[in-house]
Amino acid sequence: QVQLVESGGGLVQAGDSLRLSCVASGRTISTYAMGWFRQAPGKEREFVASISGGGVVTSYADSVRDRFTISRDNAKNTVRLQMNSLKPEDTAVYYCAATSGSAYLRRRTEYDYWGQGTQVTVSS
């Protein structure tokens, strides 16, 4: 079992930055690719970014590719999402997830473990 806990969400103005963190417990996550998803009110949960177990390969949704950066520190069992130039449309609950598959997986059903989410709200 892997437990994931997100933190770092909050209320910010458009153009501001936030850094989300995901801390894993139960076992090391070095063998898992990690992903971030988000879900806005009334919308489907969507892929945001992912990173391979070794941190070499990353993948981003087109909507965030030029603004967000995913990284990991396996020694601390932590994954981060640096979010810059935030827009109101980035408002959502952000979820951390782990998969035994590759960093290119983008579907919710392909991930094995999930955190409870952290709220990000961006005002105009």
Side-chain angles (χ1 to χ4, degrees):
Q1 288 285 336
V2 177
Q3 294 79 47
L4 305 173
V5 179
E6 305 94 335
S7 63
L11 173 63
V12 298
Q13 298 288 323
D16 286 352
S17 297
L18 280 174
R19 188 176 72 179
L20 306 183
S21 294
C22 172
V23 178
S25 61
R27 62 182 297 172
T28 178
I29 59 169
S30 62
T31 60
Y32 292 91
M34 302 295 296
W36 287 95
F37 290 73
R38 67 187 183 186
Q39 188 166 19
K43 296 186 177 180
E44 194 77 12
R45 191 171 300 187
E46 65 176 358
F47 170 83
V48 175
S50 59
I51 187 167
S52 63
V56 175
V57 178
T58 58
S59 183
Y60 296 92
D62 290 342
S63 59
V64 308
R65 188 182 308 276
D66 57 338
R67 299 181 295 120
F68 293 6
T69 302
I70 188 171
S71 62
R72 67 190 298 159
D73 185 344
N74 286 339
K76 297 180 179 179
N77 238 24
T78 299
V79 182
R80 301 182 182 92
L81 184 68
Q82 179 66 45
M83 309 165 66
N84 297 328
S85 302
L86 284 163
K87 305 174 181 179
E89 49 262 49
D90 295 318
T91 295
V93 177
Y94 282 71
Y95 297 89
C96 177
T99 178
S100 58
S102 81
Y104 296 108
L105 300 180
R106 296 184 171 220
R107 289 194 280 267
R108 179 179 181 177
T109 56
E110 295 170 321
Y111 283 76
D112 305 303
Y113 302 101
W114 293 85
Q116 293 299 308
T118 184
Q119 177 72 48
V120 172
T121 303
V122 184
S123 62
S124 60

